[in-house]
Amino acid sequence: MTIEISLQVNGVSHKFAVSPTETLVDLLRRRLGLTGTNKDCGMGICGACTVMLDGLPVSSCILLASQADGAAVTTIEAIERDGRLSPVQEAFLRHGASQCGYCTPGFIITASALLAENPHPSRDEIVEALKGNLCRCTGYKRIVEAVESVARQGGPT
Amino acid sequence: MTDCRFTRAASLGEAVDCLQQAGGEAHLLAGGIALGILMNEKLLEPSWLIDLSRLEDLKGIRLNPDGSLRIGAMTTHREIERSAEIAGAYPMLIEMAREIACGRIKNRGTIGGNICLADPQGDPPVAMIALRATLRAVGPSGPRDIAATAFFTDLYTTALTKDELLHEIQVPAQADHTGAAFGKFSARRAMDYSSTVSAAVRLVRDAVSGRISDIGIGIGGAGLIPIWAQATEAALRDNRPDGDALAAMREALMEEIEPIGDDLYSADYKRHVASVILRRTLERAYARAAAVGGADKP
């Protein structure tokens, strides 16, 4: 059986016929070619597949596509604006907050959602917001510093 | 892959009808957290998904005039964590929500889904045991109230029948001089599953004697189910939480829990952690009962 769903992805409206068990991450990667969203643990633990659903970070690996029906999805591909990196992305570069890069899209989505809601989070608030994203290369110091530098400037936009 | 049916229930009645028709072969889609994990791990291949997302009756938080609290089963952990009504009346539930996974999971995961999964490591089940919450189920013959203390019957198994679903959680009004707290141990601050041990404590502190006149304790991550620590409650009831009572508490707790050792932590280590977490959580609840009720007032 298939379900008809409509959703917005990065500002563009789409209609899909999905199976009840198809996940959002598979829809994004396979049908839309948006491979910036990474698939890793498949258990909602690591955060590599984080996207925003109506502005809130979610694990797209354990979210069924049907659950995104009627919602607006934002992936890493839409974080840059007019071909320019966002302040969070710039800060990750400047602080060397990315090494292998696999976790980076998830961190950037999570940090961008935090800063959209709270443009000047404290260090503790940043650590709290990022605690569910796992990095196995750099450690977290540079990542937190990168987000802190944007928080001091005043938000992601 | 077998074909999976999908029904987006338009009413509670329709959801119950589907469950009844499916005869135990359907799965309810709430936040979808556990469902997604189990499907990805190939531990579950659902033949019928019943989506509850459109059922407004399952959502929302309401603090009643008598001080009792109603939480719809589809309320997300995020909504609980940010609820001003809950923060004022039941701060222990805010502590509980803070301990759950991380923001990404709390944005989707629901309290009802968590409770019905009946994971022994889960945070809401032990909080509801300590608070003596009532879990209202709905089935073909209407609503049925089940005490949280009687809800968790076996590993990942609840008192719900196969054609019932959880409608709402009812937390009774708390007596004067009540203090409650939630405590959790984990090696990493988030996304640490196997090592967690948790304690939820609600107590009433006699304003004159300082004795504990009523107490509820739930212990998580220390056995096959979220544990209602009845003998541990009895060891503390009518006592002040000091020397002898704490020793009796520890002894009773050791009899009531049966932690399962894993790759990281042995069962003995978890036993020790459980007693420490319980003592610390008890101390916080006891201090709060003084702050709330005013221990010096009659």
Side-chain angles (χ1 to χ4, degrees):
Chain A
M1 145 166 209
T2 56
I3 316 159
E4 302 289 324
I5 63 166
S6 351
L7 72 169
Q8 248 191 33
V9 180
N10 299 335
V12 180
S13 296
H14 296 272
K15 282 189 191 303
F16 293 104
V18 300
S19 102
T21 55
E22 181 169 352
T23 57
L24 181 62
V25 70
D26 284 343
L27 182 145
L28 293 171
R29 291 179 59 91
R30 292 178 186 167
R31 301 208 200 195
L32 292 173
L34 296 171
T35 53
T37 302
N38 287 329
K39 199 174 164 181
D40 186 15
C41 76
M43 299 176 79
I45 292 174
C46 74
C49 70
T50 308
V51 300
M52 286 185 220
L53 191 76
D54 289 333
L56 297 179
V58 298
S59 290
S60 65
C61 74
I62 53 171
L63 191 83
L64 297 176
S66 73
Q67 292 179 284
D69 188 13
V73 178
T74 307
T75 70
I76 187 67
E77 285 85 355
I79 293 295
E80 61 175 48
R81 299 276 162 80
D82 307 321
R84 294 172 62 95
L85 296 180
S86 77
V88 176
Q89 290 172 312
E90 288 285 1
F92 267 61
L93 276 181
R94 218 170 38 244
H95 286 83
S98 180
Q99 196 169 317
C100 88
Y102 204 79
C103 70
T104 310
F107 269 101
I108 293 201
I109 290 281
T110 306
S112 302
L114 166 71
L115 291 165
E117 191 183 3
N118 174 7
H120 303 290
S122 66
R123 190 184 177 88
D124 283 351
E125 288 171 327
I126 294 168
V127 170
E128 176 67 24
L130 296 177
K131 72 181 185 181
N133 289 74
L134 304 185
C135 170
R136 288 293 174 258
C137 298
T138 75
Y140 301 95
K141 189 168 179 287
R142 291 178 176 191
I143 294 173
V144 172
E145 284 169 1
V147 180
E148 250 187 320
S149 75
V150 185
R152 276 197 302 270
Q153 290 160 22
T157 48
Chain B
M1 192 200 294
T2 57
D3 201 32
C4 177
R5 268 179 88 174
F6 180 89
T7 306
R8 183 167 281 160
S11 68
L12 213 47
E14 187 187 358
V16 171
D17 284 348
C18 291
L19 281 176
Q20 213 178 358
Q21 274 179 49
E25 295 301 312
H27 287 86
L28 296 170
L29 176 58
I33 304 289
L35 204 72
I37 295 171
L38 292 171
M39 279 162 44
N40 285 344
E41 291 293 297
K42 313 268 184 249
L43 293 170
L44 174 67
E45 207 174 330
S47 56
W48 191 352
L49 285 176
I50 303 168
D51 177 3
L52 305 177
S53 63
R54 299 301 189 265
L55 303 183
E56 293 304 317
D57 197 28
L58 292 182
K59 297 176 190 171
I61 295 164
R62 187 181 67 232
L63 189 62
N64 296 310
D66 69 353
S68 64
L69 178 71
R70 180 265 184 193
I71 308 175
M74 286 282 286
T75 306
T76 63
H77 304 305
R78 172 190 168 93
E79 287 161 349
I80 291 171
E81 187 175 11
R82 290 165 185 247
S83 161
E85 287 172 310
I86 293 183
Y90 296 88
M92 180 251 252
L93 290 176
I94 305 290
E95 289 179 347
M96 173 207 82
R98 285 202 181 121
E99 292 291 350
I100 294 171
C102 66
R104 206 173 58 236
I105 301 300
K106 286 189 270 205
N107 289 341
R108 295 296 307 177
T110 67
I111 186 153
N114 185 299
I115 288 173
C116 291
L117 180 66
D119 192 307
Q121 317 283 135
D123 298 313
V126 290
M128 295 311 160
I129 288 171
L131 291 169
R132 297 294 193 260
T134 297
L135 305 176
R136 173 159 291 181
V138 59
S141 48
R144 181 167 76 97
D145 288 347
I146 307 163
T149 49
F151 193 75
F152 306 100
T153 54
D154 202 346
L155 184 65
Y156 296 112
T157 308
T158 72
L160 290 176
T161 60
K162 59 190 177 187
D163 47 15
E164 282 180 325
L165 62 92
L166 182 60
H167 181 184
E168 63 185 30
I169 298 134
Q170 300 167 344
V171 185
Q174 303 295 299
D176 288 346
H177 309 291
T178 294
F182 189 92
K184 182 160 154 181
F185 167 84
S186 58
R188 191 180 187 276
R189 275 196 56 223
M191 314 319 281
D192 189 350
Y193 175 79
S194 72
S195 69
T196 59
V197 177
S198 58
V201 176
R202 171 201 53 90
L203 59 82
V204 180
R205 173 178 177 167
D206 185 274
V208 179
S209 67
R211 291 176 199 274
I212 294 169
S213 59
D214 185 28
I215 186 161
I217 299 177
I219 305 289
L224 292 179
I225 61 172
I227 293 169
W228 174 23
Q230 288 181 78
T232 309
E233 291 173 1
L236 289 163
R237 198 173 290 121
D238 300 323
N239 287 305
R240 285 196 199 85
D242 51 22
D244 287 352
L246 290 180
M249 173 193 88
R250 190 177 192 287
E251 206 171 306
L253 181 70
M254 291 304 112
E255 291 293 317
E256 282 189 298
I257 62 175
E258 200 60 57
I260 300 157
D262 56 50
D263 291 350
L264 292 172
Y265 302 107
S266 68
D268 280 348
Y269 179 76
K270 289 186 181 185
R271 280 180 173 279
H272 174 68
V273 167
S275 75
V276 173
I277 281 292
L278 174 58
R279 181 176 47 76
R280 289 181 187 167
T281 309
L282 174 75
E283 284 166 359
R284 280 196 295 128
Y286 190 74
R288 275 185 192 165
V292 171
D296 53 343
K297 290 178 199 152

